[in-house]
Amino acid sequence: MRRVAGALMLGALAGTAHAADPGITDKEIKIGEVLPLTGPVSFAGEAHYLGTKVALAEANATGGVAGRKVVAVTEDDGYVPARAFQAAQKLLAEGVFAVTGTSGTSHLNAMMPLFIEQKVLTIVSINPAEQAYNPVKKNIFVIGTDYGNALYAVVKYAVEKLGKKDARFGVIYQDDDFGANNLLGYQRAVKDFGLKNVLEIPYKRGQKDFSAEMLRVQNENVGFIASGGIIAENVAIFKEAKKLGLKDLRVGTVWTAHLPIVQQLSGEAGDGYYTADYMADLSDADAAPFVEVAKKYLSADEMKKVNRYTMASYSGASILIQSMRACEKDLTRDCVIGQLESGKKFSVNGATAPFGFSPSKHFSDSPVRVLQNDFKNARFVRVPE
C-alpha cells in the first residue's frame, strides 16, 4: 500500500464534511486507487501513480480542498482481477471519498459492482472501458475515447494524408473485448472510405510470434496494416515487417503504442509508425504546462517514468479536485457529481483537450490526435491535420 500526499497544506479549515460520506476528516480527504504496480503492465500503474501524486501535490500547495489535505491510498493488484476486487474491498472498508485508479478492463469490471453498490465516486482514467459509461452510472465518470475511434483516426489519416485510398488494408487484433473494439473501428473506416479490406487476423492474448501473420500481410501486398496490439505484440509486428523488408508498409496503432517502452523495444524497426491518442505527447507544446508542473513535484528518476498514463491520471485527479473545490461549502459526493456533470469544460494543463460531462453522458469522448514515432529523437510527433 502506498500513501500519496503533496506539499504541506496552506490555508485554514473551511467547509464542513458531510457525515454520511466516508474519507473526510477535519484534516484530510482520502481518495483511493487500485493499480498494477507490479506485473506485466506495471509501467502503466507506476506512471498513473505519479500523475495522481502531481495533482495532489499541486492542490495541497495551494490550500488543499476546504482547508484539508488531499491524500491518496494506492493498492497494488498485480494486474490480477481477483486481487483488484480484494483491493477495492480494502479501500472501501478503510473509507475513501472517491476512487481515481481502476486498473485494467477486467479489473474494473470486477470492482465496479462494489463502487455502484456503495455509491463511491469513481473517475476512470487509466482505461476508458465502455462498460463503465454505457449505460450511464450515476457515480462513475470516464475520461478518454473508444479504442475503435483511435484506430479509425489512423486509418482516416492513411487515406486522406498518406495517399493510401487505393491501397490494400488489413488489421491484426487481439481475440478479446479489447480487440473487438479495435476491429469495429477498423471496419467502420473500411466502410466509410470504401477501402480494399483484404485481411482481418485475430491473435490470442499473450501471443509472441507474429511471423505467420506478417507473412500473410506480405503475400496479400498490404499497404496499411492496423495493429490492435498492446506492447509486445506491436513490437513483434514492427520487427517482422522489417525482417520481411516491407519498406512500403505503413502501420497504425491505438494509444497502447504511444509509449516510450514500445518505441525503445521496437528500435529502428518501429520508426515512423502511427498511433492515435487523446492525450498529448510530452514533447508537444500543448503539454508544456503539465510537464512544468510535473517537474516541480517529481524527482528526475520519477520523470523518467512519466508517460501518457501519467497525464491521464493527472487529468482524472485534477477534475476531481476542481469539482471538490467548487463544493467546499457542501463537500459531499452528490455535490461533486453535480459539478462533474454540469456541462462545464475542465482544463488540465494541456495533458489533453478540455472536456466535460453531462447527466446523460459520463464519458468525455475526447478528440484523438494522430502521432508518428520519431525514434531518432525519442518522441512522438503530432502529424499535420
Side-chain angles (χ1 to χ4, degrees):
M1 181 178 72
R2 296 186 180 185
R3 188 178 179 88
V4 183
L8 290 177
M9 177 191 66
L10 303 176
L13 190 65
T16 303
H18 192 284
D21 288 341
I24 302 178
T25 69
D26 290 344
K27 295 183 179 180
E28 67 179 27
I29 302 167
K30 188 186 303 179
I31 63 175
E33 296 185 304
V34 177
L35 298 172
L37 299 175
T38 56
V41 294
S42 59
F43 67 90
E46 287 283 355
H48 190 285
Y49 168 83
L50 293 175
T52 303
K53 179 177 180 178
V54 172
L56 269 54
E58 180 184 35
N60 291 331
T62 54
V65 174
R68 297 163 174 84
K69 184 184 296 184
V70 187
V71 299
V73 179
T74 306
E75 297 289 341
D76 175 26
D77 71 354
Y79 207 57
V80 177
R83 286 182 59 185
F85 178 78
Q86 293 168 353
Q89 286 183 310
K90 183 178 179 182
L91 286 176
L92 300 189
E94 182 175 339
V96 293
F97 181 75
V99 170
T100 59
T102 55
S103 196
T105 301
S106 299
H107 314 73
L108 173 60
N109 288 341
M111 297 184 287
M112 200 155 48
L114 279 176
F115 298 154
I116 294 171
E117 178 186 357
Q118 298 193 30
K119 300 179 181 179
V120 182
L121 174 56
T122 305
I123 309 291
V124 178
S125 58
I126 192 170
N127 188 358
E130 183 178 3
Q131 298 92 324
Y133 62 82
N134 185 21
V136 170
K137 285 99 178 147
K138 180 66 177 176
N139 57 303
I140 299 178
F141 296 81
V142 182
I143 299 172
T145 193
D146 185 90
Y147 286 113
N149 289 342
L151 209 58
Y152 183 96
V154 291
V155 174
K156 181 174 185 281
Y157 181 79
V159 171
E160 296 182 349
K161 303 296 182 181
L162 299 181
K164 293 290 185 177
K165 177 70 171 69
D166 297 322
R168 295 163 70 83
F169 281 74
V171 61
I172 299 175
Y173 63 98
Q174 192 160 281
D175 188 15
D176 61 5
D177 289 342
F178 165 74
N181 207 326
N182 281 289
L183 179 61
L184 287 174
Y186 168 78
Q187 290 174 334
R188 179 159 55 93
V190 166
K191 180 179 178 181
D192 287 355
F193 301 113
L195 305 178
K196 296 175 184 176
N197 179 22
V198 298
L199 281 180
E200 292 182 1
I201 310 176
Y203 70 86
K204 295 296 183 183
R205 183 187 302 204
Q207 182 173 322
K208 305 296 183 184
D209 185 354
F210 284 80
S211 56
E213 287 80 0
M214 293 307 292
L215 187 60
R216 288 180 62 188
V217 170
Q218 182 184 44
N219 290 340
E220 288 289 348
N221 194 27
V222 174
F224 187 93
I225 191 76
S227 173
I230 303 180
I231 304 300
E233 301 87 356
N234 282 316
V235 172
I237 287 169
F238 300 147
K239 289 189 173 182
E240 285 294 332
K242 182 176 177 61
K243 185 188 299 183
L244 292 171
L246 304 180
K247 296 181 180 180
D248 295 328
L249 177 69
R250 297 293 177 263
V251 184
T253 71
V254 297
W255 59 82
T256 50
H258 178 204
L259 292 167
I261 189 171
V262 177
Q263 190 177 60
Q264 293 158 11
L265 290 175
S266 58
E268 291 185 356
D271 190 35
Y273 72 78
Y274 295 91
T275 186
D277 200 348
Y278 52 92
M279 290 291 155
D281 189 70
L282 290 170
S283 66
D284 196 305
D286 289 349
F290 165 78
V291 173
E292 183 179 348
V293 173
K295 286 181 177 178
K296 185 175 181 180
Y297 296 109
L298 299 180
S299 68
D301 285 342
E302 287 175 324
M303 284 300 299
K304 294 177 183 178
K305 298 180 180 180
V306 170
N307 59 40
R308 54 95 49 212
Y309 287 106
T310 312
M311 290 190 283
S313 171
Y314 173 85
S315 299
S318 177
I319 67 168
L320 174 63
I321 290 165
Q322 290 177 53
S323 298
M324 289 195 298
R325 282 180 163 174
C327 290
E328 288 191 332
K329 294 182 180 179
D330 179 29
L331 189 50
T332 64
R333 287 171 174 167
D334 284 344
C335 180
V336 175
I337 288 171
Q339 288 296 319
L340 286 167
E341 63 182 17
S342 66
K344 66 182 177 184
K345 294 286 187 179
F346 293 94
S347 179
V348 289
N349 271 330
T352 190
F355 60 90
F357 307 98
S358 71
S360 61
K361 184 181 178 185
H362 283 198
F363 179 43
S364 72
D365 199 14
S366 301
V368 297
R369 60 193 77 190
V370 178
L371 309 165
Q372 186 173 23
N373 173 26
D374 178 3
F375 172 69
K376 181 179 179 180
N377 295 300
R379 62 179 183 170
F380 291 88
V381 180
R382 187 173 182 177
V383 300
E385 296 180 354

